[in-house]
Amino acid sequence: MKKTILYRIYAAAFIGMCLAPAALMPVTKSSESKEKRALAPAPKIKTEDGRLNFDFFDDFSKYFSEHFAFRQELVTADGRLKSAVLGTSPNSDVIVGKDGWLYYGQTKNDFLNINCLSERGINNIVNNISMMNDCCQSAGCQFIFTVAPNKNTVYPEHMPFNFKPSDNKNNYVRLAEKLSGQSYWCDMKETILNADASIPLYHKTDTHWNNMGAYVGHAKLMEMQNRQACSAGTHWFTRDDRLGDLAAMIYPSEDAKDTQVYNDYEFTYNYRGRFKALDDITIDTTCENGSGQLLMYRDSYGEAILPYMAESYSAAEFSRAVPYRLDNISDETVIIEIVERNLGDIQKYAPIMCAPETEAPQADGLYNGSDAEIHSDNNGMLTHIYGVLPDECFTGDSAEIFVTAGDTTYKAFNCFEGKLLGREDETCDNGFSLYIPTEKAPAGSSFTVTAVCENGRAIQVDF
């Protein structure tokens, strides 16, 4: 009898524990702040147009999985258990390293030197950067391109012991070799690795560099312009007030803070227009103590570097918008910063600028297949022409692509506009994209696209 009672108590306790997260949902509140994403909304029986929602049960499943009671506490317990006992992460976006270090999961391929871009893909990026530099130079602007290295590129010693890089060269190394010696190339990896710093320049439980790492990057960018770096004050000090984005993913209920580095310099720049946070799409600043103008396209690594750059220029615009706009620049410094893991994006989106005119190449042959593709969209003063050519149009590891509209030929960016082509999840080295004056490409225009390969072979495609 006693055993039967104990079994029933055990069974009731077990069932109660299983039902508690669902039963307590109405009296608990889900927090979205630490995960920095919108949680699934409550499911609706009918859609917005009044029809029956046949995805109701799928929507409910997503809603429940993100709103059940004590979700963050249970996720944290799971994360702590797996990281401490197994040295693994419950979240594929987080790599649990040694000594409490966390790394972003999407940097794994770069670290292991696997699934790298093709050689033509790297050459496409080199071509596109060179074209942006030429555009800036023709507008009287100085152009600088830099890549913020992944954290495990700078601090590989804390990666898990079972992560063994292959002997291949990764995307950053291959790109740096091709850009070495170019006046517009800022090798941020070399800069960070050679910095004389007594503390790590990246956060332990966050994806990004800390303020001191950002300052090292800022100083290098200013050096390339023969300008004085922003003052760092009289001394640096630390505070444990940084909530690491990686820690928040696997330990969401904890208030574990990472160490941030500060200096005692008092900034004098001001924000112009509406400002909410450093992750705003566009931020404009002014500074009476600065000089010159800056246009900086940046990603999340640009947040920590922004104050130093803003302090150095009388007027600055910081943008996270893609594609980059280079159509209205003049007499300013243009900096493009992108994190290492996203290097492939440089051959995904062509900058908005008038494509350079050039002489039409002499074609060696005409491609008559049906799998070439071209589109044109009117964007006001500019018409966007983009598409993709078949493999038969290419030989070797590099190519330039030209588009002729009427009696004028333009050089295209080697960009595969997968999102516009309905192939967003694909990677392709055969794309082309450019913007030309709308008056040169009225509705119904025909185009000729010519791919000129490294061996001089030129294949023409008529549209």
Side-chain angles (χ1 to χ4, degrees), residues 95 104-116 150 152-153 156 159-171 340:
I95 298 170
Y104 192 33
Q106 293 186 22
T107 64
K108 179 177 67 174
N109 287 345
D110 290 323
F111 180 79
L112 297 177
N113 306 329
I114 60 175
N115 299 324
C116 301
N150 299 331
N152 46 20
T153 294
M159 283 288 284
F161 70 91
N162 58 319
F163 279 65
K164 302 294 184 183
S166 72
D167 293 331
N168 300 323
K169 295 180 179 179
N170 65 20
N171 296 330
E340 177 183 352

Side-chain angles (χ1 to χ4, degrees), residues 70-370:
F70 311 117
R71 175 181 179 272
Q72 290 196 346
E73 288 77 10
L74 292 171
V75 169
T76 298
D78 182 49
R80 282 298 179 188
L81 180 64
K82 288 182 177 178
S83 61
V85 178
L86 303 176
T88 60
S89 168
N91 189 323
S92 60
D93 280 337
V94 181
I95 298 170
V96 175
K98 305 171 188 175
D99 307 317
W101 281 64
L102 302 177
Y103 295 90
Y104 192 33
Q106 293 186 22
T107 64
K108 179 177 67 174
N109 287 345
D110 290 323
F111 180 79
L112 297 177
N113 306 329
I114 60 175
N115 299 324
C116 301
L117 295 169
S118 69
E119 191 64 20
R120 182 138 60 86
I122 293 292
N123 285 327
N124 285 346
I125 292 173
V126 172
N127 173 77
N128 295 344
I129 297 170
S130 176
M131 288 182 64
M132 286 188 278
N133 174 64
D134 291 343
C135 172
C136 291
Q137 292 288 329
S138 64
C141 304
Q142 181 177 3
F143 175 73
I144 298 175
F145 178 80
T146 191
V147 178
N150 299 331
K151 185 165 74 172
N152 46 20
T153 294
V154 181
Y155 298 105
E157 63 270 22
H158 300 289
M159 283 288 284
F161 70 91
N162 58 319
F163 279 65
K164 302 294 184 183
S166 72
D167 293 331
N168 300 323
K169 295 180 179 179
N170 65 20
N171 296 330
Y172 189 108
V173 172
R174 294 157 64 208
L175 181 65
E177 289 177 348
K178 291 181 180 294
L179 294 181
S180 177
Q182 296 292 341
S183 61
Y184 53 79
W185 165 238
C186 176
D187 191 343
M188 197 61 74
K189 174 184 173 182
E190 181 182 25
T191 299
I192 295 293
L193 289 175
N194 292 333
D196 183 16
S198 58
I199 62 173
L201 300 180
Y202 281 62
H203 293 289
K204 193 174 182 178
T205 63
D206 192 276
T207 312
H208 306 90
W209 52 20
N210 56 32
N211 288 338
M212 184 178 287
Y215 183 81
V216 169
H218 157 76
K220 180 61 178 179
L221 291 172
M222 301 306 290
E223 177 188 321
M224 292 189 65
Q225 303 170 61
N226 295 317
R227 293 168 59 100
Q228 186 70 34
C230 171
S231 171
T234 60
H235 68 283
W236 292 85
F237 59 95
T238 62
R239 288 201 300 259
D240 294 333
D241 60 358
R242 170 82 179 194
L243 179 62
D245 56 1
L246 300 174
M249 291 183 191
I250 58 175
Y251 315 131
S253 69
E254 295 183 0
D255 197 27
K257 297 295 181 66
D258 205 335
T259 300
Q260 179 59 288
V261 193
Y262 299 92
N263 60 53
D264 61 353
Y265 177 75
E266 295 187 8
F267 292 101
T268 62
Y269 71 90
N270 294 298
Y271 294 106
R272 183 174 57 189
R274 188 173 63 176
F275 170 78
K276 291 184 179 179
L278 289 174
D279 62 353
D280 287 354
I281 295 298
T282 301
I283 297 174
D284 292 309
T285 63
T286 60
C287 184
E288 293 182 357
N289 297 323
S291 62
Q293 299 183 72
L294 170 69
L295 170 61
M296 184 173 183
Y297 283 101
R298 50 90 182 190
D299 50 27
S300 57
Y301 272 74
E303 293 182 17
I305 206 172
L306 186 150
Y308 305 119
M309 303 300 291
E311 189 74 4
S312 301
Y313 295 86
S314 57
E317 177 184 343
F318 302 89
S319 177
R320 294 174 54 235
V322 177
Y324 309 136
R325 293 205 69 112
L326 301 177
D327 52 338
N328 291 310
I329 57 173
S330 62
D331 299 325
E332 56 191 319
T333 299
V334 177
I335 298 176
I336 292 179
E337 174 271 318
I338 189 169
V339 67
E340 177 183 352
R341 67 176 183 270
N342 291 334
L343 264 178
D345 288 355
I346 302 297
Q347 67 162 345
K348 283 187 178 180
Y349 311 101
I352 299 176
M353 52 173 265
C354 192
E357 297 183 13
T358 185
E359 294 183 4
Q362 183 65 42
D364 299 315
L366 181 65
Y367 180 76
N368 294 313
S370 60

